[in-house]
Amino acid sequence: MEIKSAEFVISNTDVKKCPDKGLPEYAFIGRSNVGKSSLINMLTNRRGLAMTSSKPGKTLLINHFIINDNWYLVDLPGYGYATAGKSMRGKLKNIIESYILYRDELTCLFVLIDCRIEPQQIDIEFMEWLGENSIPFSIVFTKIDKLSKSKLSENLKAYRDKLFETWEELPPIFITSSEKGQGREELLGYIDEINKSL
Ligand code: GTP
Ligand code: MG
């Protein structure tokens, strides 16, 4: 799919104030610093469209970007931001959960996982919560440029094995590097197919 246009629309803390055009949207979630905002910039080929930082806790709002004038990419705050205070964490949790549960336009949620680290309870539990609430999601491994091929396949296998402890079937899985552009065609192709099927 060709990205002809990609523009920032609005930032919100309240799901009720999100755009009301009824267009399908695809959102990115995952632990703080996993690379959600970087992935949006990589997919759209627009450096600086979504704000990124080497420090966790950069994205604190629901951010809508309109693509080709007919669908949205949505950048969300990260979860598990350890150094944030308790009330801040509670606020972010609220924003994320209400967006995921009540946003009818949410067509697929991409759960981002850093390919370098072993399966984390917070991610595993988050995906179980998605399952319990019948939220369609896919898994996106990020930062694959940071691992050798053999280490990457070892980690991916370990992750699949872990998921198979609780899931009978796995969702689609993508492997990406925002640094090198890997996985871009696959992810955009996947979104394009869903858009065409709607
Ligand atoms: P929050 O908004 O804080 O939740 O973080 P985020 O998930 O949006 O992460 P962000 O995109 O801001 O990236 C965090 C850091 O990881 C930045 O320093 C990025 O440059 C780096 N990063 C993101 N994706 C990649 C990648 O694919 N490869 C490499 N090497 N670095 C990456
Ligand atoms: Mg971010």
Side-chain angles (χ1 to χ4, degrees), residues 33-68:
N33 216 240
V34 68
K36 302 175 291 295
S37 304
S38 303
L39 187 62
I40 288 183
N41 293 338
M42 184 272 261
L43 290 174
T44 56
N45 244 328
R46 309 285 195 281
R47 223 167 234 283
L49 181 66
M51 281 188 279
T52 65
S53 168
S54 56
K55 280 189 262 158
K58 181 67 181 174
T59 310
L60 299 172
L61 301 164
I62 305 166
N63 297 287
H64 276 76
F65 301 92
I66 188 148
I67 313 300
N68 295 348

Side-chain angles (χ1 to χ4, degrees), residues 125-154:
E125 281 170 10
F126 180 76
M127 287 187 266
E128 279 166 17
W129 178 79
L130 292 177
E132 284 158 15
N133 288 286
S134 307
I135 306 295
F137 72 96
S138 300
I139 297 176
V140 176
F141 287 98
T142 63
K143 310 193 185 185
I144 65 165
D145 57 284
K146 297 221 179 201
L147 285 185
S148 68
K149 267 198 172 150
S150 59
K151 185 68 185 156
L152 176 64
S153 50
E154 191 184 306

Side-chain angles (χ1 to χ4, degrees), residues 164-184:
F164 274 127
E165 288 175 15
T166 41
W167 296 83
E168 251 171 57
E169 246 180 277
L170 299 190
I173 293 177
F174 299 90
I175 52 170
T176 66
S177 163
S178 295
E179 199 79 0
K180 303 263 194 264
Q182 283 147 310
R184 182 174 184 272

